[in-house]
Amino acid sequence: MSSSTAQGARARARMEVTAAIKDEARRQLAAEGAAKLSLRAVARELGMVSSALYRYFPSRDDLLTALIIDAYNAIGESAEAAREKAAADGPVQRWTAVAQAVRDWALRHPHEYALIYGSPVPGYTAPATTVPPASRVGLVFIGIVRDAHHGSALTEPPPLPADLRPEAERMAADLAPDLPPAAVAALIAAWGELFGLVGFELFGQFNRVVEDRETFFRHAVARLAQGVGLVDGPVEGRR
Amino acid sequence: MSSSTAQGARARARMEVTAAIKDEARRQLAAEGAAKLSLRAVARELGMVSSALYRYFPSRDDLLTALIIDAYNAIGESAEAAREKAAADGPVQRWTAVAQAVRDWALRHPHEYALIYGSPVPGYTAPATTVPPASRVGLVFIGIVRDAHHGSALTEPPPLPADLRPEAERMAADLAPDLPPAAVAALIAAWGELFGLVGFELFGQFNRVVEDRETFFRHAVARLAQGVGLVDGPVEGRR
DNA sequence: CCAATTCGAGAGCACTGCTCTTGCTTTGGA
DNA sequence: TCCAAAGCAAGAGCAGTGCTCTCGAATTGG
C-alpha cells in the first residue's frame, strides 16, 4: 500500500527501535570501548528491558557486527569524501588527502577504529556482509592509482622478482586488471602499511617516539604514494 | 640466609604459584583470546578458589599486564635471536630476517600478538614497566640500521623536507644520535608499516586479497628496508 | 473478525570480577 | 623458645553480565 520506506507502522517502528539501539550502543562504544559495551546497559538507557532487545539483535556479537558495518561505511565515506574534495589535485596529493581522512576519522572515533582495524578477535571470521563496506577505503586507493595510470602519472614499476610475479599477477587480475601487477602489489602493501601507521599512533606505540604526528604521517604516506609509483603530474612533466 | 634465588620457602612458593597462574592464563589466552580470559576459570583449573588468586594479581587487568610484558619479551627475544642468526648476512637480509621472525611469532601466537599490537583499549595507558620490553623489537631494527651506517652500507637519504626536519632531528637525538635524522624518520615509519602488514594478515584484512602471504611479506619488508636506505653490502660495492 | 505473528515484561540460569570475613599456616623478632 | 604479626586459602556474598523461557498484550493480515 505504500512505498518501501513506510510499509506498515510495525516495520517502521522496528526500524526506529533498531536505529535507537545502534545509536545508544555506538554511544557506549565511543565512551567506554567495545569491551564494556553491555546489552543490559543499552536496554536500560533506552527504557526497555534487556530481553526485549533480543528481538532486534539475536546476540551481543550481532550488535557488534552491525556496528562494525556502520564503522566501515563511515570511514569509507570519509575516504570517498576526501577523494572528491581533492579531485583536482595531483595523484600524490589525492593519496595523502585520503590517507589523512582515514587518520582523522580514526583519531575522532578511536574505539570504532579499534573495532574494525584493531583485533577482530583472531579466529572470528567476519560475516560476508561486512566485506563490501570493508572494501570501500581500499577501493578509493585503487581508484587513485588507476586514474594516475590512465593519466600517465604512474611511474614504470621496477621489474617484478620472479617469485613474486605469480602472486602479483593474481592480485592484479582480481582487483585491477588494467594496472601493472607490480603496481598492484606495491599498492596492497602500502595499504596495509598505511593502517600500520595509523594504528601505531592510535594505540600508543608512537607515544614517546613521534611528537609531531601530523607532519610525520603526512610525509610517511607521501613516501608510500611514491613507492606505489604515484608522482605529481605526468611522469615527464610539469611542476 | 640464602641467595636471591631461594630466599625462604614462602617467597619461593609465591613465585611458583605466580608462574603457574600466568602459564594457565596464557593457555586460556592462546585458546580463546583475551576477551574470554576468566580469573575464575584460571583458578578453577589450578584447583584453587578464585579469591585466592587475588593475592597474586590484584585484578584481572594486572594479570593481563603481566601477560603483555611477557609477550613483548617473547617477541623481542624472537627478533633478537633472528638478528644473531643472520649476523653474517647483509643489512637487507638481516632486516627481513628479523621482520620474518616477528611475523612468524605473530602467526604462532595470534592472541598474544593481538594483546600487544591489536587494540590496547584506546584510553588505557600502559604502565611504565611495559615500555622497555615493548622497545626490544624496535631496538633490533635500529641496531641493524646503525650497523649498516657504520659499515657504510646505508645509502645517503634524500634531503629532509623543511617541515619534517625538526621532528626528525628530535627523534634522531632521542633514539640514535649517530644516525642521519632522515634515516631515523624513515626507520620509524618503516617500523610502524611493518606491523601494519603483520596486523592486516593476522586480523583478516588480507583474506581475499593476498594468497601467498609469505612471499608477499618478504618482498614488502625488503622494500621497506630499501626505503630506510639499507642495501646489500657497501654502497658502491660488490654483488 | 479472528487466528497468527510480533512484541515487551519478568523471572531465572550460569557466569563474571571483586570484596570481606573467617580460620589456618608460616614467619621473624624478643 | 614462644608468640604476635603477617601471609594465605577458603567460603559467602554482591553487583553485574549474556542469554533463555514463559506469559500476557498488542498488532497484523487473511
Side-chain angles (χ1 to χ4, degrees):
Chain A
M1 185 176 273
S2 57
S3 81
S4 66
T5 146
Q7 41 176 8
R10 197 95 187 184
R12 215 181 144 85
R14 182 167 237 286
M15 300 267 297
E16 282 174 14
V17 174
T18 304
I21 292 172
K22 284 205 293 184
D23 282 355
E24 177 57 30
R26 195 165 12 243
R27 262 202 58 253
Q28 295 193 13
L29 177 66
E32 299 271 21
K36 300 201 174 174
L37 198 171
S38 150
L39 280 191
R40 293 182 107 111
V42 171
R44 201 179 307 135
E45 209 69 20
L46 263 51
M48 57 169 93
V49 89
S50 72
S51 60
L53 213 148
Y54 285 83
R55 302 256 173 211
Y56 298 88
F57 296 94
S59 80
R60 184 180 183 276
D61 278 353
D62 290 276
L63 215 197
L64 272 181
T65 300
L67 295 182
I68 286 174
I69 293 176
D70 287 359
Y72 272 128
N73 279 320
I75 197 173
E77 281 175 25
S78 181
E80 289 160 9
R83 175 192 51 188
E84 306 308 326
K85 199 168 180 179
D89 296 349
V92 176
Q93 278 99 341
R94 294 175 68 195
W95 174 283
T96 61
V98 172
Q100 278 176 306
V102 166
R103 171 174 176 270
D104 287 348
W105 190 93
L107 293 180
R108 219 169 316 132
H109 308 86
H111 290 104
E112 292 181 66
Y113 181 89
L115 192 62
I116 56 182
Y117 289 108
S119 5
V121 194
Y124 157 88
T125 10
T129 46
T130 68
V131 172
S135 310
R136 291 175 67 168
V137 173
L139 290 178
V140 172
F141 285 116
I142 291 179
I144 291 175
V145 174
R146 174 177 294 123
D147 290 351
H149 180 58
H150 291 131
S152 303
L154 193 69
T155 58
E156 189 77 19
L160 271 170
D163 57 340
L164 184 58
R165 175 165 229 159
E167 177 68 4
E169 286 174 348
R170 198 198 50 73
M171 294 190 294
D174 278 7
L175 298 173
D178 52 337
L179 292 181
V184 174
L187 168 60
I188 291 171
W191 172 55
E193 290 159 3
L194 160 65
F195 282 88
L197 293 171
V198 174
F200 259 36
E201 173 174 355
L202 200 63
F203 298 149
Q205 230 80 31
F206 279 161
N207 264 356
R208 287 151 195 285
V209 181
V210 182
E211 293 277 334
D212 186 356
R213 281 131 190 209
E214 165 80 30
T215 305
F216 178 79
F217 181 81
R218 189 174 55 249
H219 283 93
V221 296
R223 283 188 54 140
L224 286 181
Q226 290 160 8
V228 176
L230 298 183
V231 288
D232 282 333
V235 172
E236 320 171 293
R238 58 179 149 111
R239 185 166 240 277
Chain B
M1 186 173 271
S2 56
S3 81
S4 66
T5 143
Q7 40 175 7
R10 198 91 186 187
R12 214 181 144 84
R14 183 168 237 285
M15 301 266 299
E16 281 174 14
V17 175
T18 304
I21 292 172
K22 285 205 294 184
D23 282 355
E24 176 57 30
R26 197 168 6 249
R27 262 203 57 253
Q28 295 193 15
L29 177 66
E32 298 270 22
K36 300 203 175 176
L37 198 172
S38 149
L39 281 190
R40 293 182 108 111
V42 170
R44 203 180 304 135
E45 208 69 20
L46 262 51
M48 56 169 96
V49 88
S50 72
S51 59
L53 213 147
Y54 284 84
R55 302 250 169 215
Y56 300 88
F57 295 94
S59 80
R60 185 180 181 275
D61 278 354
D62 290 276
L63 215 196
L64 272 181
T65 299
L67 295 183
I68 286 174
I69 292 176
D70 287 358
Y72 272 128
N73 279 320
I75 198 174
E77 280 175 27
S78 182
E80 289 161 9
R83 175 191 53 188
E84 306 307 326
K85 199 168 181 178
D89 296 350
V92 176
Q93 278 99 342
R94 294 174 68 194
W95 173 284
T96 62
V98 172
Q100 279 176 305
V102 166
R103 172 175 175 269
D104 288 347
W105 190 92
L107 292 180
R108 219 169 317 131
H109 307 86
H111 290 104
E112 293 182 65
Y113 182 90
L115 192 62
I116 55 182
Y117 289 108
S119 5
V121 194
Y124 157 88
T125 11
T129 46
T130 68
V131 172
S135 311
R136 291 175 67 168
V137 173
L139 290 177
V140 172
F141 285 116
I142 292 179
I144 290 175
V145 175
R146 174 177 291 123
D147 290 351
H149 180 59
H150 291 131
S152 303
L154 193 68
T155 57
E156 190 77 18
L160 272 170
D163 56 340
L164 185 57
R165 177 165 228 161
E167 177 67 5
E169 286 174 347
R170 198 199 49 73
M171 293 190 296
D174 279 7
L175 297 173
D178 53 336
L179 293 181
V184 174
L187 168 60
I188 292 171
W191 172 54
E193 288 159 4
L194 160 66
F195 282 87
L197 293 171
V198 175
F200 259 37
E201 172 173 356
L202 199 63
F203 299 149
Q205 232 78 30
F206 280 161
N207 263 357
R208 287 152 195 284
V209 181
V210 182
E211 293 276 335
D212 186 355
R213 280 130 191 211
E214 166 80 27
T215 306
F216 178 79
F217 181 82
R218 190 173 56 249
H219 283 94
V221 295
R223 283 187 55 140
L224 287 180
Q226 290 159 9
V228 176
L230 298 182
V231 289
D232 281 332
V235 172
E236 319 171 293
R238 58 178 147 111
R239 187 166 238 276

